[in-house]
Amino acid sequence: VPNMVDLRTALEGIRYLDLRVNSERPLTIGHQHIKFMTLAEAFFDIKRFLKEFPSEFIILAFQRNSG
């Protein structure tokens, strides 16, 4: 199909992640009272993503989760 783009090409670009960080230890990210994962786990996933897609650029924004 002439207009098909492979997955790698489609995923190239800039990513912006708005991480809401809870202040208790260990640091976790979440939204209000829901905790999704530790900040360390998030960094591990980001590192793995960047290794798999080295043309990607990620901007990280951190906010204190006020929930």
Side-chain angles (χ1 to χ4, degrees):
V1 181
N3 291 328
M4 291 296 292
V5 177
D6 71 33
L7 183 58
R8 279 199 186 276
T9 302
L11 289 175
E12 290 178 356
I14 298 173
R15 309 294 171 158
Y16 176 87
L17 300 177
D18 180 11
L19 302 177
R20 308 296 172 109
V21 181
N22 296 311
S23 58
E24 68 270 358
R25 302 277 183 209
L27 295 176
T28 58
I29 59 172
H31 184 70
Q32 296 182 351
H33 299 292
I34 301 170
K35 297 175 185 170
F36 299 120
M37 65 177 58
T38 67
L39 189 57
E41 291 169 329
F43 285 149
F44 178 80
D45 286 348
I46 291 166
K47 181 179 177 181
R48 185 175 40 182
F49 175 83
L50 289 172
K51 281 186 175 185
E52 188 172 342
F53 300 99
S55 64
E56 291 291 316
F57 181 84
I58 297 180
I59 299 169
L60 299 174
F62 297 92
Q63 295 187 41
R64 177 182 232 168
N65 187 5
S66 57

